[in-house]
Amino acid sequence: MSSQPWLHQRGAEVQEFGTVRQFPLGLSHDARLYSSQRLNQVLADTQILYALYKKHHWLMRGPTFYQLHLLLDKHAGEQLQLVDMLAERVQTLGGVAVGDPRHVAEITSVPRAPDGAEEVPAMLSRLLEAHETILTEAHDAAATTAEMGDDGTSDMLVSDVIRTGELQAWFLAEHLVDTPLVRA
Ligand SMILES: [Fe+2]
């Protein structure tokens, strides 16, 4: 007997991306497959939004640096919770969640930001647009997954993805109001 671990193991792929296993959830195969596909799109875009929040948290600058630096990190943390929730919903339905960032990049519909830094209002606008992309997808997916009987997915999209996204979008948008700070 040896306690040497078996290292460098490789194996066959046991479930292909884009398929769902049979789970006894009272939902049809088609409903679970459809929900998994819609969730993976929202998941990929949410992973990109999370990364954009971190990028802009780091690259922030100017007189409102500190407040935006902190706000964007708070939003990033909340988006990261959504990433985990969405991925685990895909798994709950018997699917395969998109995980590798290179796979995420192939799937996302959020445009790529420049590798460098943009002006502050442009960074905030970019985040707002990513929010709207996800919100539009989530509204549509919430309605259609509910029609197919997947109330759990629909509820998550409304109660978690949409409500969190709407609130974060409000906090961002208020930073783009050109209002006097000292004299009215
Ligand atoms: Fe940080």
Side-chain angles (χ1 to χ4, degrees):
M1 295 296 280
S2 161
S3 58
Q4 170 61 44
W6 292 88
L7 303 176
H8 309 300
Q9 302 198 55
R10 300 287 181 276
E13 191 177 53
V14 295
Q15 183 183 359
E16 267 183 60
F17 182 75
T19 63
V20 284
R21 288 171 289 163
Q22 194 59 49
F23 281 179
L25 302 177
L27 291 169
S28 70
H29 173 272
D30 286 356
R32 290 181 300 103
L33 183 63
Y34 180 79
S35 290
S36 300
Q37 287 164 346
R38 299 302 303 261
L39 285 164
N40 265 327
Q41 182 66 52
V42 176
L43 173 57
D45 293 336
T46 302
Q47 289 185 69
I48 294 293
L49 178 59
Y50 162 75
L52 272 181
Y53 264 121
K54 274 297 192 181
K55 172 181 166 71
H56 294 156
H57 160 72
W58 299 323
L59 272 48
M60 191 46 62
R61 53 202 64 205
T64 56
F65 167 81
Y66 190 54
Q67 118 167 26
L68 281 168
H69 178 69
L70 296 181
L71 179 71
L72 301 194
D73 206 31
K74 176 178 181 284
H75 284 194
E78 291 164 0
Q79 289 298 325
L80 191 56
Q81 287 184 343
L82 292 177
V83 165
D84 200 51
M85 196 181 285
L86 288 160
E88 291 180 0
R89 182 69 195 168
V90 173
Q91 297 305 130
T92 299
L93 294 170
V96 178
V98 54
D100 190 302
R102 291 157 294 190
H103 188 193
V104 169
E106 290 170 9
I107 291 176
T108 186
S109 45
V110 175
R112 180 170 175 167
D115 292 339
E118 295 176 285
E119 290 181 313
V120 174
M123 289 196 271
L124 298 178
S125 288
R126 183 178 290 286
L127 289 166
L128 266 179
E129 284 163 24
H131 270 297
E132 190 166 32
T133 297
I134 293 170
L135 286 167
T136 303
E137 280 165 7
H139 278 292
D140 185 73
T144 45
T145 52
E147 273 168 30
M148 294 181 80
D150 188 356
D151 304 308
T153 292
S154 180
D155 175 63
M156 179 182 290
L157 289 167
V158 174
S159 303
D160 299 301
V161 175
I162 291 176
R163 286 195 218 286
T164 303
E166 286 174 341
L167 192 71
Q168 293 188 352
W170 170 39
F171 272 72
L172 288 179
E174 289 296 347
H175 288 85
L176 293 173
V177 177
D178 193 4
T179 183
L181 289 178
V182 178
R183 292 184 62 174

